Amino acid sequence: MLVYPSGLDLSTSALRLLRRELAAWRRRIGTRWRRLTCGRQALMTLAHLRCSHTFAELAAGFGVGLATAHRYVTEAVDVLAVLAPTLQQAMAVAARKAFVILDGTLLPIDRIAADRPFYSGKHRKHGMNVQVLTDLFGKLIWASLALAGAVHDIRAARSHGLLDALNTGGVRCWADKAYQGSGPAVRVPFRGRWNKLSAGKKAVNRAHAKIRALGEQAMATLKSWRLLRKLRCSTTRITDLVKAVLTLELTAST
């Protein structure tokens, strides 16, 4: 395999964060020697997450075996995932905001037609449903566990305890029509055909859509990590990958 120099469109703060956490992890488990330093392991992981490089490509580029590349990346992702904010921590942050925006996104996966639980009828593709909470500027606050793509957004939000947390805490939240009936804290647009809505309801829906559009920035931020655009790993690993990306976005950007 040919090897060539490349670059990552990330700040050095992401590399420093992961290198520091890996060094602390190695001290905790008593690691004496590794083929790659913490910095090189961190760089390998960022290349995998950001550019979706395969383990074979990473192994060739970093001069290690295929199994070693897989083990190093998996370890680094796990280290990052545990740093992601919990729902309780996210609610503490959301309570200080004027309002938050809730939306769901589908992370495409490589599955066949027979894998019906992962098929989203709305998006007409196989994937994993992830609920995302952002602030009024579209900055990420929290991301949920990844559920099968066939799960509806409101059902997913309920299963994570997100709707109960929003309503109990009185956190004002804007969401789309998929979250009808979520409770008093969650504001959704008026339902019905556009030509049958009153002028007042149309104006409300326009304003609502402008607010929710800011939440799309968070989705774009998530999928700027190219690995999340088409996942080819086990579905049991997707939650940790999302949490790892969330940690990098929240911590490395501060």
Side-chain angles (χ1 to χ4, degrees):
M1 185 177 292
L2 298 176
V3 179
Y4 65 96
S6 184
L8 287 175
D9 55 340
L10 291 173
S11 69
T12 55
S13 60
L15 181 63
R16 290 196 301 268
L17 164 70
L18 184 49
R19 181 178 58 196
R20 183 174 64 250
E21 294 299 330
L22 285 172
W25 169 252
R26 290 188 184 187
R27 287 194 297 270
R28 285 199 299 272
I29 64 176
T31 298
R32 294 186 178 181
W33 180 86
R34 292 284 185 94
R35 182 70 180 271
L36 297 181
T37 64
C38 293
R40 296 289 285 172
Q41 183 181 358
L43 184 61
M44 174 189 286
T45 304
L46 293 176
H48 179 65
L49 294 173
R50 191 69 172 185
C51 301
S52 192
H53 291 324
T54 66
F55 292 119
E57 292 169 335
L58 294 173
F62 285 83
V64 296
L66 181 61
T68 301
H70 184 279
R71 186 172 65 254
Y72 278 11
V73 171
T74 300
E75 179 184 53
V77 167
D78 290 342
V79 166
L80 287 172
V82 298
L83 300 176
T86 64
L87 180 57
Q88 291 73 24
Q89 292 170 332
M91 286 299 104
V93 173
R96 299 194 295 268
K97 307 292 184 180
F99 63 87
V100 295
I101 302 170
L102 169 62
D103 203 357
T105 187
L106 188 82
L107 303 180
I109 59 175
D110 58 342
R111 287 296 183 271
I112 60 175
D115 294 325
R116 298 301 298 176
F118 299 100
Y119 185 78
S120 169
K122 175 183 176 181
H123 298 90
R124 298 187 178 183
K125 63 176 68 173
H126 293 81
M128 299 294 286
N129 180 305
V130 174
Q131 300 296 299
V132 177
L133 206 62
T134 73
D135 66 10
L136 63 165
F137 300 110
K139 183 179 178 181
L140 287 164
I141 296 176
W142 177 79
S144 72
L145 305 178
L147 299 180
V151 178
H152 193 273
D153 281 339
I154 190 170
R155 180 183 168 193
R158 282 200 182 107
S159 68
H160 300 312
L162 177 57
L163 299 183
D164 287 340
L166 290 170
N167 289 306
T168 302
V171 179
R172 299 170 64 193
C173 176
W174 265 248
D176 61 27
K177 294 178 182 179
Y179 298 92
Q180 290 278 351
S182 296
V186 183
R187 301 190 177 189
V188 296
F190 289 105
R191 298 185 67 179
R193 293 183 178 277
W194 183 256
N195 57 2
K196 293 185 178 180
L197 294 176
S198 66
K201 289 183 177 180
K202 287 180 180 178
V204 170
N205 281 7
R206 287 193 194 97
H208 196 283
K210 289 179 181 178
I211 293 173
R212 286 192 298 104
L214 297 173
E216 294 300 324
Q217 297 178 18
M219 304 306 177
T221 298
L222 273 181
K223 294 184 179 180
S224 66
W225 298 81
R226 298 175 187 85
L227 185 70
L228 300 183
R229 296 179 188 176
K230 183 69 173 182
L231 290 153
R232 295 177 174 83
C233 60
S234 168
T235 55
T236 60
R237 293 290 303 162
I238 294 176
T239 292
D240 285 341
L241 291 170
V242 173
K243 296 290 186 184
V245 168
L246 178 63
T247 296
L248 289 168
E249 285 292 338
L250 293 180
T251 310
S253 61
T254 57

